[in-house]
Amino acid sequence: MNLTQKTLEIRTSPHILSGMSTDTIMRNVVYALLPVAAFAVYAFGLAAALVISVSTISTVLTEHVLCRLTKKESTIGDWSAAITGLLYGLTLPPGLPLWMVFCGGVIAIALGKFMFGGLGYNPFNPALVGRAVMQAAFPVAITTWHPAFTTDRFYNLPDSTLTLPFMAPVFKAVTTATPLAQMKFDHKIADSYDLAMGFVSGSTGETCAVLILLGGAYLAWRKMMNWRIPAAIFLTVIVLSEFFHYLKPEIYPDSLFMLLSGGLMLGAVFMATDMVASPMTSRGVMIYGALIGILVVVIRLWGGLPEGVMYAILIANAASPHIDRLVQPRVYGTGGVKRKT
Amino acid sequence: METTITVKKTFPHGVHPPEAKEETHHLKIRRFPFAPVMILPLSQHTGKPSKAMVREGQEVARGQKIAEADGFVSVALHAPASGIIKRIALAPNPVGRMTPSIYLQPFPASSQEVLEGTPIDPDTASPDEIVKAIQDAGIVGLGGAAFPTHVKLKIPEGKFVDTLIINGVECEPYLTTDHRVMLEQKDDIFMGIRYLMKVTGAQRTIIGIEANKLDAAQELSAAIPAGMPVSVEVFKVKYPQGAEKMLIKALLDREVPSGGLPVDVHTVVVNVATAAEIGRLLPHGRGIMERVITITGPGVAKKGNYWIPIGTPVRYVLEQAGAKDNISLVFLGGPMMGQAVSNLDFPFTKGTSGLVVFTEAETNSKPQKIYPCIHCAYCVDACPMFLNPSQMGILAKKERYEEMAEQYNLFDCFECGACSYVCPSHIPLVQYFRVAKGILREKKAAS
């Protein structure tokens, strides 16, 4: 061959890469969420399908439009907006008016992510920012639950779903209470098997613990999720709730109920593990997970709200850069050097 | 003789790139022809360049010393072939600068017999004589760093060495030179160890090898001369285990202090090919004229391990090795730390351990889009020095270099590339760190 005519590439080492890519990670998180979303549709029917679709469309669309408005290349190809949309949709009650769902999606991306600089710069999990704003703006609508597995769920919508934009929804149909609310206000404890399998009421995607754990296990196996975060959360919740249950079993539920009820599974596995908003070191994520666990138990047992996972994660998100700063890894060759004398 | 080998643990963190050694690890070392012109940079090592001892037009014999060490951190240079010195001029060098180099034209019809020098006996020679002989033989670390070997063998006053470590890890993917050297030059290695133990005063020697070279580990442990306090230890395969600091951690569980040297934790690490070279050259008083390299990668037809004369230009090697038409990236060394060749007139120097050729299929397969850092912490879990590449990358982008050095130990980074390798956002982290170090050094020099 003629080597004088050859143009060679110049690049810096390393010349090989692991092949892992940010969009691959994000896409796999979406895959892991799909069974959870499918179960939501199975349990709550058409309403859940609409809520999840609208939430996902709203976040992806917002990201795309904002990129265009700021004259940047659209970043929807990295799949992170889709995760935000899916997660946000899965935290909503199935009967939430669709116009509210849409507003929350716009806020999640615009306020929770884009304002800080987009992917990689969001201090909080954007889906939870959207959810938190909804909770503050529409406290009634977002805590009105519809029963799962109604017979007409695949062809009938709750009256509230199609409320006209900026109109208050009317909840005519039968609404129900979540297991956590029953625990808190009526001291009724749901059956663990029903909780694990998702035969209870709640937000669209939070009810089936088994599918959430399976999705998490898949991501942990692909090393796309730090398993230490849910592990630390679960462990803290188990220890704390068992302690209080032991003290006053008639008021405080046992750890199994605490783990399986409400948004803890979905939050611990899919939201607290948002890479951007969680610490980086192994010790850091342990502290972070423990903090979430403590906050969840405190809010659930003594707070005014039945559920505390969302605020627990948001507070821990805020603490995460500080945790990182505190527990930097010990650099090789600095301190603690073992010397033979 | 079969010896049972237990696979030792390893150092914490690190990465597992594909080994890509199977195409060449079984190929015996073959000779490579002399190039029509050889280019011998006077600076093939870390430290002061050698001083030329020849004139243009002078005829030299193979093995004749053509440049001498200039000071302690410098080594001699020997003619890789009998021939005529065409000129002494600036020539392109892989380090990026034009450096003074000797152009040697080998005599085509010469017998290429090697000039002999004064033999050094490992039993009677004093440590200082051996240090001097190693410097005169022009020996540098053949693992890639090209640091003059005699410098680290000169144990400073008040320090001592209890363990000599022979580095046969060869953790860079694609490269199989150390593997072949361990299989084919066992006597030279043990001879070299004799010199090295004498010089350093070490009471024992450990040869560290990764588990992907079990045949070498078995043959070497079976060949240990009777009475010699040498053992062979096998590690799990992990990159960058061949880095001195990781090897010491894995073998002895000692940590070289930040900014310190292995001798601070009573050990000296010498690459196995360097040890073999010492064992081969010193008994004859010769200098280093050639080294073993691996020529491999999808872009060459004749992959293999070769004895290559120092100073052979890359162009000649590519022609001889049958480079394909669609080559697009050529680098010296392994893919993790190797240097891309920007000029085919670069010569092979003493520190070059391989030539890997990639084709367009490897380089253009997918344009790597750079995403923002998503704090996935893959780099934090990969860094063998326990640095925080993610945080340093963010600081580098903001040009906060001082903070990187003062708060995040930038200068403990030895640029193994593990962070860039794992980064899913394809951020060129290690390149950021090279730039940051360069700028800080310049600032320091300016002030």
Side-chain angles (χ1 to χ4, degrees), chain B residues 2-7 179 182-183 209-221 232-235:
Chain B
E2 281 288 298
T3 21
T4 39
I5 287 192
T6 45
V7 177
H179 192 175
M182 288 190 284
L183 287 170
I209 300 174
E210 278 194 343
N212 54 6
K213 295 178 272 290
L214 280 177
D215 51 346
Q218 270 163 351
E219 287 199 20
L220 269 180
S221 37
V232 175
E233 303 260 18
V234 181
F235 309 105

PDB file of all heavy atoms in Angstrom, chain B residues 2-7 179 182-183 209-221 232-235:
ATOM      1  N   GLU B   2       4.674 -29.560  36.446  1.00  0.00           N
ATOM      2  CA  GLU B   2       3.501 -28.735  36.710  1.00  0.00           C
ATOM      3  C   GLU B   2       3.582 -28.173  38.130  1.00  0.00           C
ATOM      4  O   GLU B   2       3.835 -28.896  39.078  1.00  0.00           O
ATOM      5  CB  GLU B   2       2.222 -29.572  36.578  1.00  0.00           C
ATOM      6  CG  GLU B   2       1.799 -29.799  35.143  1.00  0.00           C
ATOM      7  CD  GLU B   2       1.249 -28.551  34.475  1.00  0.00           C
ATOM      8  OE1 GLU B   2       0.235 -28.033  34.949  1.00  0.00           O
ATOM      9  OE2 GLU B   2       1.860 -28.101  33.484  1.00  0.00           O
ATOM     10  N   THR B   3       3.406 -26.914  38.253  1.00  0.00           N
ATOM     11  CA  THR B   3       3.357 -26.338  39.588  1.00  0.00           C
ATOM     12  C   THR B   3       1.954 -25.774  39.787  1.00  0.00           C
ATOM     13  O   THR B   3       1.387 -25.207  38.870  1.00  0.00           O
ATOM     14  CB  THR B   3       4.378 -25.201  39.747  1.00  0.00           C
ATOM     15  OG1 THR B   3       4.712 -24.723  38.460  1.00  0.00           O
ATOM     16  CG2 THR B   3       5.598 -25.646  40.472  1.00  0.00           C
ATOM     17  N   THR B   4       1.428 -25.953  40.970  1.00  0.00           N
ATOM     18  CA  THR B   4       0.118 -25.376  41.234  1.00  0.00           C
ATOM     19  C   THR B   4       0.288 -23.890  41.489  1.00  0.00           C
ATOM     20  O   THR B   4       1.190 -23.478  42.210  1.00  0.00           O
ATOM     21  CB  THR B   4      -0.554 -26.033  42.451  1.00  0.00           C
ATOM     22  OG1 THR B   4       0.463 -26.245  43.407  1.00  0.00           O
ATOM     23  CG2 THR B   4      -1.241 -27.312  42.074  1.00  0.00           C
ATOM     24  N   ILE B   5      -0.583 -23.122  40.901  1.00  0.00           N
ATOM     25  CA  ILE B   5      -0.477 -21.683  41.024  1.00  0.00           C
ATOM     26  C   ILE B   5      -1.762 -21.150  41.609  1.00  0.00           C
ATOM     27  O   ILE B   5      -2.852 -21.453  41.126  1.00  0.00           O
ATOM     28  CB  ILE B   5      -0.173 -21.059  39.654  1.00  0.00           C
ATOM     29  CG1 ILE B   5       1.275 -21.394  39.323  1.00  0.00           C
ATOM     30  CG2 ILE B   5      -0.410 -19.565  39.680  1.00  0.00           C
ATOM     31  CD1 ILE B   5       1.865 -20.670  38.199  1.00  0.00           C
ATOM     32  N   THR B   6      -1.643 -20.409  42.691  1.00  0.00           N
ATOM     33  CA  THR B   6      -2.838 -19.806  43.274  1.00  0.00           C
ATOM     34  C   THR B   6      -2.938 -18.378  42.762  1.00  0.00           C
ATOM     35  O   THR B   6      -1.962 -17.631  42.781  1.00  0.00           O
ATOM     36  CB  THR B   6      -2.750 -19.795  44.806  1.00  0.00           C
ATOM     37  OG1 THR B   6      -1.443 -19.354  45.162  1.00  0.00           O
ATOM     38  CG2 THR B   6      -2.994 -21.166  45.378  1.00  0.00           C
ATOM     39  N   VAL B   7      -4.123 -18.031  42.302  1.00  0.00           N
ATOM     40  CA  VAL B   7      -4.319 -16.679  41.794  1.00  0.00           C
ATOM     41  C   VAL B   7      -4.552 -15.748  42.970  1.00  0.00           C
ATOM     42  O   VAL B   7      -5.505 -15.899  43.723  1.00  0.00           O
ATOM     43  CB  VAL B   7      -5.503 -16.627  40.819  1.00  0.00           C
ATOM     44  CG1 VAL B   7      -5.745 -15.208  40.362  1.00  0.00           C
ATOM     45  CG2 VAL B   7      -5.223 -17.528  39.636  1.00  0.00           C
ATOM     46  N   HIS B 179       5.014 -11.317  27.822  1.00  0.00           N
ATOM     47  CA  HIS B 179       4.593 -12.717  27.850  1.00  0.00           C
ATOM     48  C   HIS B 179       5.608 -13.596  27.112  1.00  0.00           C
ATOM     49  O   HIS B 179       6.081 -14.602  27.624  1.00  0.00           O
ATOM     50  CB  HIS B 179       3.214 -12.817  27.182  1.00  0.00           C
ATOM     51  CG  HIS B 179       2.549 -14.141  27.386  1.00  0.00           C
ATOM     52  ND1 HIS B 179       1.272 -14.391  26.964  1.00  0.00           N
ATOM     53  CD2 HIS B 179       2.978 -15.284  27.960  1.00  0.00           C
ATOM     54  CE1 HIS B 179       0.948 -15.643  27.271  1.00  0.00           C
ATOM     55  NE2 HIS B 179       1.970 -16.204  27.873  1.00  0.00           N
ATOM     56  N   MET B 182       8.983 -13.786  28.882  1.00  0.00           N
ATOM     57  CA  MET B 182       8.978 -14.695  30.035  1.00  0.00           C
ATOM     58  C   MET B 182       9.051 -16.152  29.599  1.00  0.00           C
ATOM     59  O   MET B 182       9.600 -16.988  30.293  1.00  0.00           O
ATOM     60  CB  MET B 182       7.730 -14.450  30.894  1.00  0.00           C
ATOM     61  CG  MET B 182       7.803 -13.144  31.661  1.00  0.00           C
ATOM     62  SD  MET B 182       6.496 -12.965  32.886  1.00  0.00           S
ATOM     63  CE  MET B 182       5.098 -12.563  31.866  1.00  0.00           C
ATOM     64  N   LEU B 183       8.491 -16.448  28.431  1.00  0.00           N
ATOM     65  CA  LEU B 183       8.521 -17.829  27.958  1.00  0.00           C
ATOM     66  C   LEU B 183       9.852 -18.174  27.299  1.00  0.00           C
ATOM     67  O   LEU B 183      10.321 -19.301  27.384  1.00  0.00           O
ATOM     68  CB  LEU B 183       7.379 -18.072  26.955  1.00  0.00           C
ATOM     69  CG  LEU B 183       5.971 -18.158  27.542  1.00  0.00           C
ATOM     70  CD1 LEU B 183       4.940 -18.162  26.435  1.00  0.00           C
ATOM     71  CD2 LEU B 183       5.829 -19.401  28.403  1.00  0.00           C
ATOM     72  N   ILE B 209       2.704 -11.716  37.814  1.00  0.00           N
ATOM     73  CA  ILE B 209       2.178 -12.041  36.477  1.00  0.00           C
ATOM     74  C   ILE B 209       0.658 -12.109  36.564  1.00  0.00           C
ATOM     75  O   ILE B 209       0.106 -12.543  37.566  1.00  0.00           O
ATOM     76  CB  ILE B 209       2.733 -13.415  36.007  1.00  0.00           C
ATOM     77  CG1 ILE B 209       4.266 -13.364  35.946  1.00  0.00           C
ATOM     78  CG2 ILE B 209       2.160 -13.812  34.643  1.00  0.00           C
ATOM     79  CD1 ILE B 209       4.922 -14.691  35.630  1.00  0.00           C
ATOM     80  N   GLU B 210      -0.030 -11.685  35.507  1.00  0.00           N
ATOM     81  CA  GLU B 210      -1.493 -11.784  35.509  1.00  0.00           C
ATOM     82  C   GLU B 210      -1.942 -13.159  35.043  1.00  0.00           C
ATOM     83  O   GLU B 210      -1.235 -13.850  34.306  1.00  0.00           O
ATOM     84  CB  GLU B 210      -2.111 -10.697  34.610  1.00  0.00           C
ATOM     85  CG  GLU B 210      -2.209  -9.371  35.325  1.00  0.00           C
ATOM     86  CD  GLU B 210      -3.099  -8.364  34.607  1.00  0.00           C
ATOM     87  OE1 GLU B 210      -3.385  -8.554  33.414  1.00  0.00           O
ATOM     88  OE2 GLU B 210      -3.493  -7.376  35.259  1.00  0.00           O
ATOM     89  N   ALA B 211      -3.156 -13.522  35.453  1.00  0.00           N
ATOM     90  CA  ALA B 211      -3.655 -14.884  35.240  1.00  0.00           C
ATOM     91  C   ALA B 211      -3.864 -15.237  33.772  1.00  0.00           C
ATOM     92  O   ALA B 211      -4.120 -16.392  33.449  1.00  0.00           O
ATOM     93  CB  ALA B 211      -4.959 -15.084  36.003  1.00  0.00           C
ATOM     94  N   ASN B 212      -3.761 -14.243  32.875  1.00  0.00           N
ATOM     95  CA  ASN B 212      -3.891 -14.587  31.454  1.00  0.00           C
ATOM     96  C   ASN B 212      -2.563 -15.070  30.863  1.00  0.00           C
ATOM     97  O   ASN B 212      -2.457 -15.290  29.664  1.00  0.00           O
ATOM     98  CB  ASN B 212      -4.440 -13.398  30.661  1.00  0.00           C
ATOM     99  CG  ASN B 212      -3.628 -12.133  30.863  1.00  0.00           C
ATOM    100  OD1 ASN B 212      -2.585 -12.160  31.517  1.00  0.00           O
ATOM    101  ND2 ASN B 212      -4.083 -11.035  30.297  1.00  0.00           N
ATOM    102  N   LYS B 213      -1.535 -15.211  31.732  1.00  0.00           N
ATOM    103  CA  LYS B 213      -0.239 -15.725  31.267  1.00  0.00           C
ATOM    104  C   LYS B 213       0.208 -16.866  32.170  1.00  0.00           C
ATOM    105  O   LYS B 213       1.349 -16.931  32.608  1.00  0.00           O
ATOM    106  CB  LYS B 213       0.804 -14.599  31.271  1.00  0.00           C
ATOM    107  CG  LYS B 213       0.487 -13.489  30.275  1.00  0.00           C
ATOM    108  CD  LYS B 213       1.486 -12.359  30.328  1.00  0.00           C
ATOM    109  CE  LYS B 213       1.126 -11.315  31.338  1.00  0.00           C
ATOM    110  NZ  LYS B 213      -0.057 -10.500  30.990  1.00  0.00           N
ATOM    111  N   LEU B 214      -0.728 -17.784  32.447  1.00  0.00           N
ATOM    112  CA  LEU B 214      -0.420 -18.868  33.382  1.00  0.00           C
ATOM    113  C   LEU B 214       0.734 -19.733  32.897  1.00  0.00           C
ATOM    114  O   LEU B 214       1.530 -20.229  33.687  1.00  0.00           O
ATOM    115  CB  LEU B 214      -1.665 -19.747  33.596  1.00  0.00           C
ATOM    116  CG  LEU B 214      -2.695 -19.194  34.581  1.00  0.00           C
ATOM    117  CD1 LEU B 214      -3.888 -20.108  34.659  1.00  0.00           C
ATOM    118  CD2 LEU B 214      -2.077 -19.014  35.968  1.00  0.00           C
ATOM    119  N   ASP B 215       0.844 -19.909  31.564  1.00  0.00           N
ATOM    120  CA  ASP B 215       1.942 -20.727  31.040  1.00  0.00           C
ATOM    121  C   ASP B 215       3.289 -20.115  31.409  1.00  0.00           C
ATOM    122  O   ASP B 215       4.212 -20.807  31.830  1.00  0.00           O
ATOM    123  CB  ASP B 215       1.813 -20.908  29.525  1.00  0.00           C
ATOM    124  CG  ASP B 215       1.623 -19.599  28.775  1.00  0.00           C
ATOM    125  OD1 ASP B 215       1.318 -18.573  29.430  1.00  0.00           O
ATOM    126  OD2 ASP B 215       1.778 -19.595  27.535  1.00  0.00           O
ATOM    127  N   ALA B 216       3.367 -18.783  31.309  1.00  0.00           N
ATOM    128  CA  ALA B 216       4.613 -18.111  31.658  1.00  0.00           C
ATOM    129  C   ALA B 216       4.886 -18.254  33.154  1.00  0.00           C
ATOM    130  O   ALA B 216       6.023 -18.517  33.571  1.00  0.00           O
ATOM    131  CB  ALA B 216       4.541 -16.637  31.274  1.00  0.00           C
ATOM    132  N   ALA B 217       3.838 -18.124  33.955  1.00  0.00           N
ATOM    133  CA  ALA B 217       4.017 -18.246  35.401  1.00  0.00           C
ATOM    134  C   ALA B 217       4.509 -19.634  35.765  1.00  0.00           C
ATOM    135  O   ALA B 217       5.415 -19.797  36.592  1.00  0.00           O
ATOM    136  CB  ALA B 217       2.694 -17.947  36.105  1.00  0.00           C
ATOM    137  N   GLN B 218       3.925 -20.656  35.118  1.00  0.00           N
ATOM    138  CA  GLN B 218       4.332 -22.030  35.425  1.00  0.00           C
ATOM    139  C   GLN B 218       5.770 -22.303  35.000  1.00  0.00           C
ATOM    140  O   GLN B 218       6.563 -22.842  35.758  1.00  0.00           O
ATOM    141  CB  GLN B 218       3.385 -23.010  34.735  1.00  0.00           C
ATOM    142  CG  GLN B 218       2.203 -23.348  35.621  1.00  0.00           C
ATOM    143  CD  GLN B 218       1.058 -23.960  34.860  1.00  0.00           C
ATOM    144  OE1 GLN B 218       1.063 -23.986  33.625  1.00  0.00           O
ATOM    145  NE2 GLN B 218       0.078 -24.442  35.578  1.00  0.00           N
ATOM    146  N   GLU B 219       6.089 -21.875  33.775  1.00  0.00           N
ATOM    147  CA  GLU B 219       7.443 -22.157  33.282  1.00  0.00           C
ATOM    148  C   GLU B 219       8.491 -21.413  34.103  1.00  0.00           C
ATOM    149  O   GLU B 219       9.547 -21.943  34.402  1.00  0.00           O
ATOM    150  CB  GLU B 219       7.556 -21.761  31.807  1.00  0.00           C
ATOM    151  CG  GLU B 219       6.817 -22.722  30.900  1.00  0.00           C
ATOM    152  CD  GLU B 219       7.287 -22.632  29.454  1.00  0.00           C
ATOM    153  OE1 GLU B 219       8.407 -22.121  29.219  1.00  0.00           O
ATOM    154  OE2 GLU B 219       6.538 -23.067  28.564  1.00  0.00           O
ATOM    155  N   LEU B 220       8.163 -20.167  34.464  1.00  0.00           N
ATOM    156  CA  LEU B 220       9.134 -19.388  35.240  1.00  0.00           C
ATOM    157  C   LEU B 220       9.327 -19.996  36.624  1.00  0.00           C
ATOM    158  O   LEU B 220      10.463 -20.135  37.092  1.00  0.00           O
ATOM    159  CB  LEU B 220       8.675 -17.939  35.378  1.00  0.00           C
ATOM    160  CG  LEU B 220       9.152 -16.955  34.308  1.00  0.00           C
ATOM    161  CD1 LEU B 220       8.599 -15.579  34.597  1.00  0.00           C
ATOM    162  CD2 LEU B 220      10.680 -16.893  34.234  1.00  0.00           C
ATOM    163  N   SER B 221       8.221 -20.386  37.286  1.00  0.00           N
ATOM    164  CA  SER B 221       8.424 -20.917  38.638  1.00  0.00           C
ATOM    165  C   SER B 221       9.150 -22.253  38.602  1.00  0.00           C
ATOM    166  O   SER B 221       9.882 -22.583  39.533  1.00  0.00           O
ATOM    167  CB  SER B 221       7.125 -20.997  39.434  1.00  0.00           C
ATOM    168  OG  SER B 221       6.068 -21.356  38.625  1.00  0.00           O
ATOM    169  N   VAL B 232       6.956 -16.670  42.244  1.00  0.00           N
ATOM    170  CA  VAL B 232       6.088 -16.153  41.189  1.00  0.00           C
ATOM    171  C   VAL B 232       4.683 -16.006  41.759  1.00  0.00           C
ATOM    172  O   VAL B 232       4.167 -16.932  42.382  1.00  0.00           O
ATOM    173  CB  VAL B 232       6.070 -17.115  39.974  1.00  0.00           C
ATOM    174  CG1 VAL B 232       5.070 -16.641  38.930  1.00  0.00           C
ATOM    175  CG2 VAL B 232       7.464 -17.216  39.368  1.00  0.00           C
ATOM    176  N   GLU B 233       4.095 -14.842  41.592  1.00  0.00           N
ATOM    177  CA  GLU B 233       2.737 -14.628  42.094  1.00  0.00           C
ATOM    178  C   GLU B 233       1.830 -14.271  40.920  1.00  0.00           C
ATOM    179  O   GLU B 233       2.215 -13.503  40.041  1.00  0.00           O
ATOM    180  CB  GLU B 233       2.698 -13.463  43.085  1.00  0.00           C
ATOM    181  CG  GLU B 233       3.627 -13.641  44.266  1.00  0.00           C
ATOM    182  CD  GLU B 233       2.909 -14.127  45.507  1.00  0.00           C
ATOM    183  OE1 GLU B 233       1.784 -14.654  45.365  1.00  0.00           O
ATOM    184  OE2 GLU B 233       3.482 -13.982  46.599  1.00  0.00           O
ATOM    185  N   VAL B 234       0.632 -14.839  40.925  1.00  0.00           N
ATOM    186  CA  VAL B 234      -0.300 -14.600  39.818  1.00  0.00           C
ATOM    187  C   VAL B 234      -1.499 -13.791  40.315  1.00  0.00           C
ATOM    188  O   VAL B 234      -2.053 -14.068  41.378  1.00  0.00           O
ATOM    189  CB  VAL B 234      -0.772 -15.941  39.221  1.00  0.00           C
ATOM    190  CG1 VAL B 234      -1.725 -15.702  38.066  1.00  0.00           C
ATOM    191  CG2 VAL B 234       0.424 -16.749  38.756  1.00  0.00           C
ATOM    192  N   PHE B 235      -1.866 -12.776  39.548  1.00  0.00           N
ATOM    193  CA  PHE B 235      -2.996 -11.913  39.911  1.00  0.00           C
ATOM    194  C   PHE B 235      -4.179 -12.164  39.008  1.00  0.00           C
ATOM    195  O   PHE B 235      -4.040 -12.644  37.893  1.00  0.00           O
ATOM    196  CB  PHE B 235      -2.660 -10.434  39.705  1.00  0.00           C
ATOM    197  CG  PHE B 235      -1.397 -10.001  40.335  1.00  0.00           C
ATOM    198  CD1 PHE B 235      -0.281  -9.784  39.564  1.00  0.00           C
ATOM    199  CD2 PHE B 235      -1.331  -9.784  41.689  1.00  0.00           C
ATOM    200  CE1 PHE B 235       0.887  -9.359  40.143  1.00  0.00           C
ATOM    201  CE2 PHE B 235      -0.174  -9.364  42.269  1.00  0.00           C
ATOM    202  CZ  PHE B 235       0.944  -9.150  41.503  1.00  0.00           C
TER     203      PHE B 235
END
